[in-house]
Each structure stands twice: as structure tokens, then as C-alpha cells.
Amino acid sequence: QVQLVESGGGLVQAGGSLRLSCAASGPSLSSYAMLWFRQAPGREREIVTAINWSGRFTYYADSVKGRFTISRDNAKNTVYLQMNSLKSEDTAVYYCAARSDGSLVGVAHIGAGSGVDYWGKGTLVTVSS
């Protein structure tokens, strides 16, 4: 049974940085695409970023391009999200997810997460202005 556990959330001032981690326990997810979603209060969950199984290819939502960086360490079964230049609109619960399709095909149109195989419980990021 795969479990995804996010950590690193918290309160930060606008312009600051946070680094989220997502540790997977159970079978290796080295063949899976790993994704980060977020859900702000009163809004639908949305894709933030994704990384393919090898780490060679990434996808970013327009709203975070140039500010967020996703990476993975398959040896540690862990994925990271470095968030810089945070804005108040980045305030949300951030969810780690894994998709058995290790490519990034269709990720831009994944919506709230159709096709995702595993979800973490989320970590809250609050950016104060």
C-alpha cells in the first residue's frame, strides 16, 4: 500500500520561500509521474506542477512558472517542491500525488486530478501579505 506524506508547509511572508517534501512509503514510485496540486479556500483543486518518472521532464502551471521548482529523488522515494517569491494567492493546501503513467501526457488538462492513483493528505501553506 502506497502512502504519500507531505511536509514543509507553514506560514511565510509574501516574497519568502518554502520547500515542501513528499515522502512515499511502500512500493517504489520510481516509474510514476509525481504531481503537486493545491486547493485554495472556496476554489477547486488545481495542478501546480508535475515531474515525469525520470525527472527529465517537468510541467508548471502558468501561475507558478519561474517561481516554483519540482524535483525528485527516486532513491529516497521523495519528491520536492521549492517555492520562491511566494504570493498571497499561493495560499492553499498542497497535495502530493502519484500517477502510474510515468509520462506527463495530458497533465496540463488533468483538472482536479483525474487519473491520479495516490494522494497525500495535504500540507497547508499560508502566505501573509
Side-chain angles (χ1 to χ4, degrees):
Q1 182 72 13
V2 172
Q3 284 191 321
L4 302 176
V5 179
E6 303 95 336
S7 61
L11 175 64
V12 64
Q13 287 189 333
S17 298
L18 280 176
R19 188 193 195 206
L20 306 184
S21 298
C22 171
S25 61
S28 170
L29 297 182
S30 60
S31 65
Y32 282 60
M34 299 299 294
L35 309 92
W36 287 96
F37 290 79
R38 68 185 179 187
Q39 187 167 19
R43 301 190 65 176
E44 291 189 354
R45 187 166 56 197
E46 62 179 2
I47 180 81
V48 176
T49 180
I51 189 166
N52 82 316
W53 68 273
S54 69
R56 182 177 179 185
F57 299 105
T58 57
Y59 165 83
Y60 295 95
D62 287 343
S63 58
V64 305
K65 277 181 183 176
R67 300 188 298 121
F68 289 12
T69 302
I70 188 172
S71 60
R72 67 188 298 164
D73 185 337
N74 284 341
K76 296 181 178 179
N77 230 15
T78 301
V79 64
Y80 305 97
L81 179 60
Q82 177 67 43
M83 304 186 295
N84 298 328
S85 302
L86 283 161
K87 305 175 181 180
S88 56
E89 51 262 44
D90 294 318
T91 294
V93 177
Y94 284 72
Y95 298 91
C96 176
R99 190 175 80 163
S100 58
D101 180 348
S103 76
L104 298 185
V105 173
V107 162
H109 307 290
I110 200 170
S114 62
V116 165
D117 295 278
Y118 302 106
W119 290 95
K121 293 185 178 181
T123 185
L124 177 62
V125 172
T126 304
V127 184
S128 63
S129 56

